[in-house]
Each structure stands twice: as C-alpha cells, then as structure tokens.
Amino acid sequence: MADMNLIAEALKAGRAPKVKTLVQEALNEGVAPEVIVNEALIVGMGVVGERFKNNEIYVPEVLIAARAMNAGLAILEPLMAEKDIQPIGVAAIGTVSGDLHDIGKNLVAMMLKGAGFKIIDLGVDVSPEKFVDAVANQGAQLICMSALLTTTMPVMKDTVEAATAAGIRDKCRIMIGGAPVTQQYADEIGADGYSTDAASAADLAKKLVAELA
Ligand code: B1M
C-alpha cells in the first residue's frame, strides 16, 4: 500500500531515485497525482523549508531535496497537465537587470513550486519590462524579484513604477528579496512584501496571491 510519508521522507533525505521509484509505485497502485503532490512532495518540501528557516540545514541540503522533489514532479506534472489541475497561483520570478546571482532566486522558485505555484522563471538580468510582460501577457499574478547587489536594487523600484505605468499594478502583487534587501526598502519602493529567506517567501507568496482572489 502506497505510503505518502515514505515519499516525503525520501524527499527530505534528498534521495531522488527513491522518490522517483516510490512515486511510480504509488501511481501504479492508483493513487491520484495530486494526492502525491499535496500529501507527499509538498509536505516533504514544507519540512525542508522549515528546517532551512531554522538553520537546521543549509543551502546544499535544500538543493538536494529540491532535486528529489523535481524527480517526482517530472513524473507527475504531465499527468496533472492532462487532468488540468490548477496551481494555487502563477509567479514570475527573476533576478533584476544587471544582476547575475541566481542561487537564492532558484531556491525561492523551488520553494514556491513546492508550495503549489506555477513558476515562470525569467532567469537573471531581468528588465522591468520583462516582469511587466509576464503579468500582462503570461498570466503571472506575482512578480518575485531577487537582487544581491546594492547597485541593482533600484531596478526593483523601476519595476514597481513600470507596473504602475503599464496599468497592471492592481492585478498583481510584487514581492522582493535578496541579501541586501530589507522590509524598509520594500516599504520605500511600494512593494507588497519582502521575505528574508526562501521558506518565508513561499508563505508570503501564498498570502499575497490570496489577496487577489
Ligand atoms: Co557575488 N557578490 N558578485 N557572485 N556573491 C555577493 C552578493 C557580495 C555580497 C560578495 C561580497 O563582496 N562580500 C557582493 C555584493 C556587494 C554588494 O553589492 N553589497 C558581490 C559582488 C560584488 C559580485 C561581483 C560584482 C564581483 C565582481 O565581479 N567584482 C559580481 C557581480 C556579477 C553580477 O551579478 N553582475 C559577482 C559575481 C558572483 C559569482 C558569479 C561569482 C557568484 C554568483 C553565482 C550564481 O549566483 N550563479 C557570486 C556569489 C556566489 C556571491 C556570494 C558569495 C553568495 C551569494 C549566494 O548565492 N548566497 C555573495 C556573498 C554572500 O552573500 N555571502 C556575493 C546564497 C543564497 C542562497 O543567498 O541569494 O541571499 P541569497 O538568497 C537567500 C535570501 O536572500 C532570500 O532567499 C534565499 C534563500 O534563503 N531571497 C529571497 C533571495 N531572493 C529572494 C527573493 C524573494 C524572497 C527571498 O522574493 C521574491
């Protein structure tokens, strides 16, 4: 009998091949893909996020767990697409123009994915126009910006202003983060939220997307 806890445990331990095998076995036994996602993968990744937030584990462990999660999702996503299961929200994420740091951005993207969001990953060196376009033309509800350089932080302000100028400011929520970014800066530029780490970013994203409902 398929055990969702076993899958969550394998994910937490970062055992990608084991996750893959257990997910396939669960599917063979008739467990629905969305049950595996919600009761095994998201639960497991949630625990990883909490441990990371509490400094019980570090970036490498999170990346390894995320790889295990992706191994499970790679099997489940096509099946879920067939059934047209809706994500809890759509988030466009990127590191702002002039900034090539992507480790934190990727962690945030993984946590959001783990929380059930569809991710539009715009990559690094992303201009305000590209963020705006993701909302205007690609269905994004959240703009998620990361910056690691003090010199690139102003692009976050430019993006908030570009969203207002494009008339999409009310249709989306904007969240920011990255080592030099602060809540005070978020308030100053009119962003809707800031978080210190990837696990809190997932909580914040859920809260912000709920405001749009
Ligand atoms: Co660069 N770098 N770097 N670097 N780099 C820093 C950021 C720096 C602090 C190092 C230092 O001088 N002590 C410094 C910035 C100084 C400043 O502006 N105040 C710096 C510099 C100066 C530079 C260059 C200019 C160096 C040079 O060429 N002279 C250059 C810039 C290139 C560019 O971007 N145009 C550069 C280049 C690089 C590498 C390419 C070598 C490499 C990046 C590789 C990559 O990302 N693929 C690199 C690295 C690795 C670092 C350090 C060492 C580590 C950054 C990192 O990945 N941290 C960094 C020093 C440091 O931070 N100790 C440094 C781990 C990551 C998990 O944390 O990204 O903060 P972080 O993400 C966290 C949170 O901030 C949060 O969640 C994440 C997980 O908890 N978070 C969000 C992040 N985004 C979020 C978004 C959210 C919410 C939360 O909502 C949307």
Side-chain angles (χ1 to χ4, degrees):
M1 173 85 176
D3 182 346
M4 297 301 107
N5 285 332
L6 274 185
I7 302 178
E9 287 302 322
L11 185 153
K12 286 189 268 174
R15 299 177 62 193
K18 182 83 177 165
V19 168
K20 220 169 148 181
T21 306
L22 290 172
V23 165
Q24 192 57 59
E25 281 174 13
L27 285 173
N28 294 347
E29 287 182 29
V31 182
E34 61 273 25
V35 170
I36 304 175
V37 171
N38 291 327
E39 295 179 18
L41 301 186
I42 291 181
V43 169
M45 205 58 194
V47 175
V48 171
E50 281 304 309
R51 287 181 182 167
F52 181 57
K53 202 155 60 177
N54 298 332
N55 291 324
E56 291 163 24
I57 57 171
Y58 298 96
V59 171
E61 288 98 326
V62 179
L63 292 175
I64 291 167
R67 195 179 57 188
M69 172 144 186
N70 282 332
L73 281 177
I75 302 174
L76 296 168
E77 272 174 347
L79 303 172
M80 290 170 67
E82 274 169 26
K83 289 173 99 181
D84 197 25
I85 291 166
Q86 294 302 312
I88 66 167
V90 182
I93 187 164
T95 308
V96 299
S97 286
D99 201 324
L100 304 176
H101 296 85
D102 68 357
I103 298 169
K105 184 269 291 176
N106 290 342
L107 276 173
V108 173
M110 286 168 190
M111 287 297 178
L112 263 59
K113 196 172 176 187
F117 280 87
K118 176 184 167 189
I119 301 297
I120 301 171
D121 191 342
L122 300 171
V124 296
D125 196 15
V126 181
S127 65
E129 294 71 29
K130 278 193 186 154
F131 282 113
V132 168
D133 180 72
V135 175
N137 300 314
Q138 298 175 59
Q141 298 159 296
L142 296 181
I143 289 178
C144 304
M145 288 182 277
S146 182
L148 265 287
L149 300 173
T150 44
T151 49
T152 58
M153 281 168 61
V155 179
M156 295 175 151
K157 182 170 187 274
D158 297 345
T159 304
V160 175
E161 289 172 358
T164 305
I168 58 146
R169 189 66 189 87
D170 294 342
K171 293 186 194 139
C172 67
R173 290 289 181 269
I174 300 179
M175 54 185 274
I176 62 175
V181 180
T182 59
Q183 180 63 56
Q184 190 191 344
Y185 184 67
D187 296 340
E188 257 172 53
I189 67 169
D192 300 304
Y194 155 80
S195 77
T196 51
D197 59 69
S200 319
D203 296 337
L204 175 64
K206 283 192 258 184
K207 179 178 154 276
L208 292 178
V209 84
E211 289 175 9
L212 290 169

